[in-house]
Amino acid sequence: MTQVPSPQLTLPDGVELVPGRGGLPAVRIDLPGCTGEVYLQGAHVTSWRPAGGDVLWVSEAAVFRTGKAIRGGVPICFPWFAGGVDGTSTPAHGFARITEWNLVGATVDDRSVELKLALTDTVDTRAMWPHSFAAEYGVRMGRDELCLTLAVTNTGDEAFTFEEALHSYFAVRDIRQVRVEGLEGASYLNTVPGEDAGPHVQDDPIGFTGETDRTYQGTTATAVIRDGDRTVTVARDGSASAVVWNPWVAKSAAMSDFGDDEWTGMLCVETANAKADAVTLEPGAEHTMTARITEVDHGQEALIGSS
Ligand code: TA6
């Protein structure tokens, strides 16, 4: 069923609901300070362009089809991460990213747009995960920051435990030159097949010399992506896990919706509560997780400064 904004919802100037790629409904944002795009399927932010290029990365081979996760942007992983705590849950990363959310709010101020999208349990979701819930996703997009907030409420009469992740794909110039700072001292699990799972402690800033797939646990630290003269910052509230992923050569080639040579231009730094950091909600309780993403392009700043 193709969603339409809630009947009483009037979209402000600069915000329109359009047929996106593959005909999937998308909210297109065009403000003086930034442009962006959010698909109703998965409440999936696929673009945030505050000034120069897109801060987010989407594969050229991404498939835009009902029920297929979009390869890139910010997929919402809920109510489990990967295969879930026991590794057997399907679909991978939960059903939220392949289910259509309702657009329930859209407001614009002089600096940003705020969208509200909602997802509640259905007979289909209960068949996969037998719990009643209400999820609300806030997307605040402006020139200075992309702020994503996922609030989950237990609307049932029994406690439930869930995992969640804002699985952010960031565009980088060359992953081999990138460093991620801020997670030093944090413990992580290594999920690269065939490697020592750990736990390990992150001693230094993270560099990339091969497939990297790490779930940092018990850390609320801000991650800082150093990409040449660009800095992308991922600050987290209500999140105790951070996931860092680059598929490198072999895994990129093994994914049909990921170009074989695209691995050099992307990096996932995800805001999450996964594995040991899964969240338990009593009936009526709510949990909120927020990612606050900023980008500074020092080269662009210098250019503007010199003009
Ligand atoms: O977040 C890292 C990860 O769990 C990797 O192991 C890899 O599977 C990635 O997510 C992408 O998962 P997807 O289901 O979108 O192909």
Side-chain angles (χ1 to χ4, degrees):
M1 178 186 79
T2 297
Q3 290 289 321
V4 292
S6 301
Q8 69 279 12
L9 185 64
T10 302
L11 297 182
D13 290 347
V15 179
E16 60 175 335
L17 185 62
V18 298
R21 284 165 275 185
L24 296 180
V27 178
R28 199 142 290 164
I29 294 156
D30 188 356
L31 300 178
C34 82
T35 62
E37 186 180 65
V38 184
Y39 280 77
L40 295 191
Q41 176 176 275
H44 197 136
V45 180
T46 52
S47 174
W48 175 47
R49 301 173 69 103
D54 210 320
V55 177
L56 303 177
W57 175 91
V58 174
S59 172
E60 293 292 327
V63 174
F64 290 77
R65 183 178 67 230
T66 300
K68 166 73 175 133
I70 298 167
R71 177 68 64 195
V74 186
I76 298 175
C77 304
F78 172 83
W80 55 79
F81 182 79
V85 177
D86 65 5
T88 62
S89 300
T90 56
H93 288 323
F95 49 73
R97 66 175 180 170
I98 54 175
T99 302
E100 200 155 279
W101 293 53
N102 288 303
L103 180 63
V104 298
T107 54
V108 168
D109 63 24
D110 61 339
R111 300 184 66 82
S112 60
V113 60
E114 176 119 32
L115 304 180
K116 293 279 187 202
L117 299 104
L119 179 70
T120 54
D121 59 285
T122 65
V123 65
D124 291 338
T125 68
R126 289 190 297 273
M128 292 180 275
W129 192 60
H131 301 291
S132 299
F133 70 91
E136 182 172 275
Y137 192 49
V139 178
R140 194 176 70 242
M141 186 183 285
R143 180 178 46 232
D144 303 323
E145 183 180 71
L146 173 63
C147 183
L148 306 171
T149 298
L150 179 60
V152 176
T153 302
N154 180 345
T155 56
D157 52 16
E158 292 179 351
F160 63 61
T161 298
F162 69 97
E163 296 174 291
E164 57 188 343
L166 301 177
H167 193 300
S168 310
Y169 287 75
F170 294 105
V172 297
R173 294 178 182 140
D174 183 346
I175 189 65
R176 294 161 293 196
Q177 311 303 325
V178 166
R179 293 290 179 273
V180 174
E181 300 169 355
L183 296 173
E184 296 88 330
S187 171
Y188 68 89
L189 298 175
N190 176 6
T191 42
V192 175
E195 292 188 1
D196 178 359
H200 305 278
V201 175
Q202 184 63 44
D203 291 328
D204 305 312
I206 308 166
F208 300 88
T209 58
E211 181 181 354
T212 306
D213 195 348
R214 302 177 183 176
T215 302
Y216 292 82
Q217 304 264 257
T219 170
T220 59
T222 294
V224 180
I225 303 169
R226 303 287 188 195
D227 175 35
D229 49 16
R230 289 176 66 241
T231 300
V232 174
T233 300
V234 184
R236 300 177 290 126
D237 298 316
S239 159
S241 313
V243 182
V244 176
W245 179 57
N246 180 281
W248 218 252
V249 180
K251 187 149 189 181
S252 301
M255 293 184 282
S256 61
D257 61 347
F258 197 114
D260 291 1
D261 58 359
E262 288 186 315
W263 58 274
T264 60
M266 58 71 66
L267 171 65
C268 286
V269 175
E270 305 162 38
T271 299
N273 286 299
K275 301 185 191 295
D277 296 322
V279 176
T280 296
L281 280 184
E282 295 298 325
E286 177 186 271
H287 179 275
T288 298
M289 178 174 76
T290 297
R292 291 181 279 110
I293 300 165
T294 61
E295 182 216 31
V296 175
D297 187 333
H298 307 289
Q300 190 74 18
E301 280 187 333
L303 205 60
I304 292 168
S306 64
S307 59

